[in-house]
Amino acid sequence: MTRAALSALLSHWRNNPLQLVMLLAGLALATALWSGVQALNAEARSAYGTAENLLSESGAARLEHPSGQIDQAEFARLRRAGWQVSPVIEGRAGLGTGRVTVLGIDPLSAEAGVGAALAAADLEGFFSGLGYAHPQTLDEIGPTDHPLRATQAVPVGTVLVDLSTADTLLRADGRITRLSVSPIQPDGLQPLEILAPELRLIAPEDGAELAGLTDSFHLNLTAFGLLAFAVGLFIVHSAVGLAFEQRRAMFRTLRALGLPLRSLTACLAGEMVLFALIAGAAGLGLGYLLASALLPDVALTLRGLYGAPVPGSLQFDPLWALAGLGMTLAGTALAGAQALWRLWHMPILAPAQPRAWAHASGRTMRLQAGVALALACLATGLALTGDGLIAGFTLLAATLLAAALAVPLVLAAVLVGAARLARAPVAQWFWADSRQNLPRLSLALMALMLALSANIGVGTMVASFRATFIDWLDLRLVAEVNVLPRSQSEAEALHAFLTPRADAILPMQRIDATLGGQPGQVYAMKDHATFRENWQLIEPVANVWDRLAAGEGVLVNEQLYRRAGLRPGTSMLDLPGIGALPVLGAYPDYGNPLAQAVLSLDRFDAAYPETPIRQFAIRTNDTPGLIASLQDDFGLLSTQITDQAQAKDLSLTIFERTFLITRALNVLTLSVAALALFAALVTLSGMRLAQLAPLWALGLTTRHLAALELGRALALGLLTMVFALPVGLLLAQVLLSVINVQAFGWRLPMQVFPADWARLGLWASAAVLAAAAIPALRLWRKGAAQLLRVFAHER
Amino acid sequence: MTALQLQDICKSFDTAEGRVEVLKSVSLTLEMGQSLALTGESGSGKSTLLHIAAGLEHPDSGRVMVGADDMTAMGDTQRARLRRGRVGLIFQQFNLIPSLNVAANLAFQARLAGVHDAPFVAELAERLGLAALMQRYPEQLSGGQQQRVAIGRCLAARPAIVLADEPTGNLDEATGDQVLDLMLQLTAEASTALLLVTHSARLAALCDSRVHLRAGQLAAAQ
């Protein structure tokens, strides 16, 4: 019995192959976008795990000096006192044709971890200079003077070597970067505060872990994946709903012939599971391809923004595949639940005529309006009182859903108004008929609205960010030349060399520190017009620059200012080795995930003596002459010099990469929405024949009807676009003033870009026309024969 | 004066069983003001002949003359224009425009043809018993009311010919008779030619003349 029933039910799809293709495509695309994003996230998180497990499996605490360097003697003293500490040297160095992070460990004292295990595999080789690196790193840097062995266990961009090899590569002069502290220590040790008061013990959870730093980035990706998944589910819901309507007569017949309701429902549920598995498998394949295509850019972004070592190639994880299939099944259940519920409650003798989707009824419209209103209230409440990233994303979701649910209501009102204003009979019919068919297209139009408003919102956010970022870069990167000394002695020599040749020499020194409970850095700032004239401060106190120069307080970056809720003039900030200092103002610091504080150079030198100079920013009015002199007379390598243009290019490249994935997902979401509209129009075109046939009989040509169908799709698309515009701007405002502040710690002014909207409008129109073209073309070319069949079927 | 002339109309279709000749050299003439019933069994080709007469379908051979115009020599756009202005169609399933109310449906074809005459439409509505239903939508009407709207829509454009395909096929006998009486009365008053396709001999008897289609050929004319 079940087999016969299944066979009857499945015959519907045999007769409507395009509908089946749309259902499977919608499901596969939804799965692909969601699982693609998940694959990216999983790959990145796995890479963070690799990085964190390299030195210790259990997460070791570390000892650091504010200057970033620890003397060998200090290490020896602690070991003699019984402390189980292990030295680590870490720094950036040129190797082969690239630059890598050199990580030097002492395998004999190192905590059990991946690094120690690698070294132990060939201890003799390791001691004599053998290093380990990710295969991708080896490809990137090419052949080197040092023997390197490939391993997946070392993060991309890092080379693991013995301490002495690292010392040579980094010219560390015997100075250790930090000491790794074993979690298990002998009893009765003298406390570190007494033994080494100048060293700071940093617990593993206090460090700037990559997973924590990059959380917002991954949350953004997940939100986009979820949006695309939701848009895909609109297609599925639409296709399942239509198939249900078309098979009402069959359901009635099957039940009249003795098939129990339970079996019928089970058959339909089974059918959905089957489709979900087929489409889910295809979607996983597509998702894997998508993630593979996007991963290199995501990896570059994560490396550029956070220094996160993410490889550019994707590994297959069976758990990811299972989770993706699970999501597809859950999505299908969600999309098909309404159809199954209606079947379960359908009386056996329910009318067999397909009626319009339930949305057509005034009751459903009222319900939809009620839900939209409730969501709008929730969004308003969250906007006024919400706090945190989750609240921010809930606000976004509620805003988008409320707007999506309002789409049919708004469009219905506009179409009714247009029908009233129309004078010509065809125009009158056009608007009235559009209103009547609105419920059948509403799901696709809601998906289109979601995609368009997401495009406008994210586009406005990115463009606003870009404009602000470029202005900010112009002010921030005013130094004509930057040079990177390789050692402190070279820095001193450079300073002496530059003094008669440059207008100003601005040294860059910094220490790592925990600021306001967050991982961060303290910088030294020389009092100079470069900063006074170009840095635009947020809430500065009076005479801020004079007070900073006098060492009376600190400037903090916007991230720290917002996250720690600091108020210039009243708040104090604790600095290691100094204590609490007044906060004098905040400065924008886009693209930096860390907290930052700026001290006057004198105050910094007094608090953190011997901190190496990492960079000089040089003001000059003869950039080419100075660069030539630095290379020819001083002997500086070209890789140690960057001019202003290079620095700006680098920053902009990182910026563009950061939003590359966002743009890609934007385009994909719009494509899915176009597909949803195409699916709705194609399936609707069959049902439309009965509505169009009388007009044809009354004297409208099929060409005229096809043009009207195209015009209707375009009009609905454009009306949706007009509605999406304020929603998108609202979305941008939420992104800029809520999500960005929560995720990154900076607030940006919103700017509007009407040219971008016009471009998006053209793209959306093209997508809508492309979606409507095939049904319209079919109506034009083969319409007469199909329309005639409407009259023939009357008997 | 001849309103419609069908000359040697042949039409065949490809089916699963091969090519089937539906109309075999059918000819008939309809004068202005004349009502002609076309009867026949199911599948005899009645509707196909009517569709050809309306220019909805092309014959394989033969000529369709509407007045002095050869419809078979016209392109799609010209045929549509002719249908709009000179031919009225009434269907079994009414085929009203569901998104427009009764008033808009009644005036639709006349406005499309550019011959809208509001007082005439109002008079038609009155005579068809639709005056109180003008703001209703087709789904809010009974079958008989819907068919009366379809007749009104057709006649409001003052066509030269009315082609009616089983116009009472979906109505009960009493309503059907009522609707048909009204249609015959109104077409006669307007001197409009009427070709009525029906399989009911009783209804056919109400027309001025009758032809019977059997196996694609006019079997007998009375």
Side-chain angles (χ1 to χ4, degrees):
Chain A
M1 179 177 72
T2 307
R3 187 182 291 183
L6 256 180
S7 155
L9 288 170
L10 290 174
S11 68
H12 168 81
W13 302 107
R14 257 201 316 277
N15 294 329
N16 297 276
L18 196 58
Q19 204 178 341
L20 178 62
V21 168
M22 284 301 133
L23 172 65
L24 293 177
L27 208 45
L29 274 176
T31 309
L33 289 174
W34 168 257
S35 58
V37 164
Q38 289 312 304
L40 290 173
N41 283 344
E43 192 64 34
R45 292 211 171 99
S46 148
Y48 308 152
T50 306
E52 279 160 19
N53 290 335
L54 191 61
L55 293 182
S56 164
E57 285 165 351
S58 50
R62 58 185 195 268
L63 276 171
E64 289 184 3
H65 190 274
S67 69
Q69 295 181 337
I70 301 171
D71 206 77
Q72 290 268 11
E74 192 90 22
F75 162 60
R77 196 155 55 83
L78 287 170
R79 288 292 292 192
R80 277 199 300 276
W83 277 90
Q84 298 300 301
V85 291
S86 180
V88 174
I89 298 181
E90 189 175 356
R92 298 282 292 168
L95 200 62
T97 56
R99 282 183 74 78
V100 293
T101 298
V102 173
L103 185 68
I105 61 166
D106 171 25
L108 298 178
S109 62
E111 173 76 0
V114 175
L118 281 172
D122 182 2
L123 208 51
E124 199 178 328
F126 195 68
F127 283 141
S128 51
L130 173 67
Y132 292 91
H134 194 279
Q136 190 179 321
T137 313
L138 296 180
D139 285 347
E140 284 169 6
I141 63 175
T144 67
D145 298 337
H146 293 265
L148 293 175
R149 201 171 280 174
T151 172
Q152 300 274 356
V154 174
V156 175
T158 295
V159 171
L160 179 76
V161 288
D162 172 51
L163 209 60
S164 59
T165 312
D167 186 85
T168 311
L169 284 169
L170 296 169
R171 301 172 197 214
D173 300 332
R175 287 171 185 275
I176 296 162
T177 312
R178 62 177 181 270
L179 294 170
S180 174
V181 184
S182 170
I184 302 160
Q185 298 288 344
D187 293 334
L189 291 176
Q190 196 176 6
L192 283 170
E193 299 84 58
I194 298 165
L195 202 59
E198 68 283 12
L199 297 185
R200 291 178 301 127
L201 182 67
I202 299 168
E205 63 272 19
D206 291 341
E209 279 81 15
L210 290 171
L213 285 176
T214 55
D215 259 357
S216 343
F217 182 86
H218 293 297
L219 195 58
N220 276 330
L221 274 188
T222 304
F224 243 107
L226 205 55
L227 176 69
F229 188 71
V231 171
L233 286 190
F234 274 99
I235 305 179
V236 180
H237 183 79
S238 169
V240 170
L242 177 70
F244 177 84
E245 289 296 338
Q246 288 172 328
R247 289 190 286 183
R248 282 174 78 96
M250 187 192 289
F251 297 159
R252 192 178 67 164
T253 308
L254 286 172
R255 291 206 53 204
L257 291 176
L259 186 72
L261 180 60
R262 193 183 295 271
S263 304
L264 182 58
T265 313
C267 281
L268 280 175
E271 178 190 86
M272 276 193 236
V273 170
L274 177 72
F275 290 158
L277 290 175
I278 293 170
L284 283 175
L286 279 174
Y288 187 83
L289 290 177
L290 179 72
S292 302
L294 292 175
L295 187 61
D297 284 321
V298 172
L300 282 173
T301 302
L302 288 165
R303 272 191 249 171
L305 262 184
Y306 307 103
V310 178
S313 58
L314 197 66
Q315 309 291 316
F316 180 80
D317 181 359
L319 265 181
W320 161 80
L322 278 178
L325 270 185
M327 192 71 180
T328 316
L329 284 168
T332 313
L334 193 70
Q338 192 194 8
L340 287 179
W341 187 86
R342 272 161 57 195
L343 174 69
W344 189 254
H345 290 87
M346 192 175 79
I348 192 165
L349 290 177
Q353 291 84 10
R355 61 186 177 89
W357 269 273
H359 306 272
S361 73
R363 201 173 135 218
T364 310
M365 285 288 236
R366 279 195 294 279
L367 184 71
Q368 201 165 321
V371 175
L373 194 66
L375 284 167
C377 289
L378 172 68
T380 311
L382 282 169
L384 294 174
T385 61
D387 192 26
L389 206 52
I390 298 297
F393 275 109
T394 312
L395 163 61
L396 266 190
T399 308
L400 275 176
L401 269 178
L405 287 171
V407 166
L409 308 169
V410 172
L411 289 182
V414 173
L415 294 174
V416 166
R420 282 199 188 129
L421 290 174
R423 288 287 160 260
V426 176
Q428 212 171 33
W429 166 79
F430 178 84
W431 294 115
D433 184 67
S434 301
R435 162 70 190 89
Q436 199 191 32
N437 281 290
L438 189 61
R440 292 165 185 182
L441 285 173
S442 65
L443 278 171
L445 291 171
M446 283 155 79
L448 184 66
M449 204 287 302
L450 280 179
L452 285 173
S453 53
N455 260 275
I456 293 168
V458 175
T460 303
M461 187 269 281
V462 173
S464 297
F465 193 2
R466 196 173 196 282
T468 310
F469 186 71
I470 289 171
D471 289 348
W472 172 78
L473 268 186
D474 286 341
L475 296 174
R476 192 75 183 258
L477 299 178
V478 281
E480 286 76 17
V481 182
N482 288 292
V483 293
L484 301 161
R486 284 170 294 189
S487 64
Q488 191 57 23
S489 54
E490 189 173 69
E492 283 160 16
L494 255 174
H495 194 273
F497 178 82
L498 285 167
T499 303
R501 293 176 173 82
D503 296 341
I505 308 159
L506 310 170
M508 202 276 273
Q509 286 169 284
R510 67 146 205 260
I511 60 151
D512 291 339
T514 301
L515 301 172
Q518 302 165 31
Q521 292 162 334
V522 180
Y523 276 76
M525 181 186 272
K526 186 175 177 176
D527 185 25
H528 192 264
T530 299
F531 304 113
R532 286 175 177 258
E533 288 166 8
N534 292 301
W535 279 38
Q536 292 182 337
L537 300 179
I538 303 162
E539 278 195 66
V541 298
N543 304 317
V544 58
W545 293 108
D546 292 337
R547 291 186 64 186
L548 181 73
E552 291 174 16
V554 291
L555 294 177
V556 294
N557 68 353
E558 191 183 351
Q559 291 84 313
L560 178 59
Y561 156 79
R562 295 200 188 280
R563 285 180 186 147
L566 300 175
R567 289 284 156 266
T570 53
S571 300
M572 306 289 280
L573 181 70
D574 266 328
L575 297 182
I578 295 179
L581 278 181
V583 175
L584 303 175
Y587 55 91
D589 187 22
Y590 306 121
N592 177 14
L594 298 174
Q596 211 176 76
V598 167
L599 262 181
S600 73
L601 187 60
D602 294 340
R603 192 80 199 252
F604 185 95
D605 277 343
Y608 317 115
E610 295 180 38
T611 304
I613 293 171
R614 292 166 187 265
Q615 190 176 326
F616 286 114
I618 304 162
R619 303 303 309 268
T620 176
N621 53 17
D622 177 20
T623 306
L626 185 70
I627 290 176
S629 177
L630 279 167
Q631 288 179 314
D632 301 339
D633 303 334
F634 189 83
L636 218 55
L637 301 172
S638 59
T639 51
Q640 290 177 272
I641 306 169
T642 47
D643 65 19
Q644 193 185 43
Q646 280 176 309
K648 276 185 189 166
D649 280 352
L650 184 69
S651 301
L652 276 175
T653 306
I654 291 174
F655 178 89
E656 299 296 354
R657 276 182 199 151
T658 306
F659 292 104
L660 205 68
I661 174 90
T662 312
R663 289 204 181 101
L665 286 174
N666 244 342
V667 170
L668 286 170
T669 310
L670 189 61
S671 311
V672 175
L675 188 73
L677 195 61
F678 174 69
L681 288 171
V682 164
T683 46
L684 188 61
S685 63
M687 302 167 78
R688 292 276 296 143
L689 289 176
Q691 294 166 5
L692 296 175
L695 282 119
W696 175 64
L698 292 177
L700 292 185
T701 59
T702 50
R703 192 172 54 184
H704 194 175
L705 289 173
L708 286 171
E709 291 295 280
L710 267 185
R712 178 198 324 283
L714 193 60
L716 289 175
L718 287 177
L719 282 173
T720 307
M721 170 87 189
V722 168
F723 182 56
L725 192 59
V727 177
L729 291 179
L730 188 66
L731 190 67
Q733 187 59 39
V734 173
L735 284 169
L736 288 167
S737 61
V738 180
I739 301 290
N740 270 357
V741 177
Q742 297 290 349
F744 303 112
W746 57 71
R747 188 189 291 269
L748 296 159
M750 187 167 93
Q751 299 181 38
V752 289
F753 302 88
D756 287 355
W757 306 340
R759 201 174 307 122
L760 180 65
L762 285 177
W763 275 112
S765 304
V768 168
L769 283 178
I774 290 180
L777 207 64
R778 217 161 50 176
L779 178 65
W780 180 25
R781 291 284 181 213
K782 297 181 180 172
Q786 289 177 330
L787 292 166
L788 200 58
R789 225 171 284 155
V790 172
F791 304 126
H793 285 165
E794 285 183 359
R795 279 169 301 281
Chain B
M1 191 178 163
T2 303
L4 174 73
Q5 198 173 12
L6 305 179
Q7 299 172 354
D8 296 323
I9 300 294
C10 293
K11 182 73 185 174
S12 51
F13 293 110
D14 288 320
T15 68
E17 287 80 33
R19 198 160 177 80
V20 175
E21 266 193 290
V22 178
L23 297 173
K24 299 167 188 166
S25 199
V26 175
S27 297
L28 65 81
T29 302
L30 189 61
E31 299 298 330
M32 291 296 285
Q34 182 195 357
S35 61
L36 172 68
L38 176 63
T39 57
E41 306 298 323
S42 294
S44 60
K46 304 187 297 291
S47 293
T48 304
L49 191 66
L50 187 116
H51 291 157
I52 288 173
L56 298 175
E57 197 152 2
H58 239 333
D60 295 341
S61 63
R63 281 210 310 175
V64 179
M65 302 293 294
V66 176
D69 297 317
D70 182 357
M71 201 191 256
T72 36
M74 292 177 180
D76 188 41
T77 310
Q78 287 170 298
R79 281 207 310 274
R81 193 182 302 132
L82 188 133
R83 211 158 49 232
R84 209 152 57 211
R86 288 162 62 187
V87 180
L89 281 161
I90 299 168
F91 301 96
Q92 181 181 351
Q93 291 286 6
F94 328 128
N95 283 317
L96 298 178
I97 298 169
S99 50
L100 299 180
N101 62 18
V102 169
N105 261 293
L106 273 177
F108 192 79
Q109 190 173 1
R111 294 177 69 194
L112 214 55
V115 295
H116 179 49
D117 178 352
F120 180 57
V121 174
E123 186 196 324
L124 269 177
E126 192 67 45
R127 294 191 62 187
L128 287 162
L130 298 169
L133 309 172
M134 299 295 264
Q135 296 310 313
R136 292 205 191 166
Y137 283 83
E139 63 183 18
Q140 298 168 314
L141 303 178
S142 69
Q145 288 170 331
Q146 288 195 52
Q147 196 57 298
R148 278 186 275 153
V149 177
I151 292 167
R153 177 179 71 184
C154 167
L155 295 177
R158 299 182 200 268
I161 315 158
V162 169
L163 303 171
D165 191 1
E166 304 275 14
T168 58
N170 261 359
L171 307 177
D172 61 71
E173 199 172 294
T175 313
D177 287 354
Q178 209 178 12
V179 165
L180 195 65
D181 280 345
L182 203 53
M183 191 168 75
L184 288 168
Q185 195 183 336
L186 289 169
T187 50
E189 282 174 18
S191 292
T192 304
L194 170 70
L195 177 60
L196 172 73
V197 167
T198 179
H199 57 254
S200 160
R202 192 177 62 80
L203 294 179
L206 298 174
C207 291
D208 300 335
S209 49
R210 294 169 290 284
V211 287
H212 190 78
L213 200 59
R214 181 174 295 148
Q217 287 180 310
L218 286 181
Q222 292 166 12

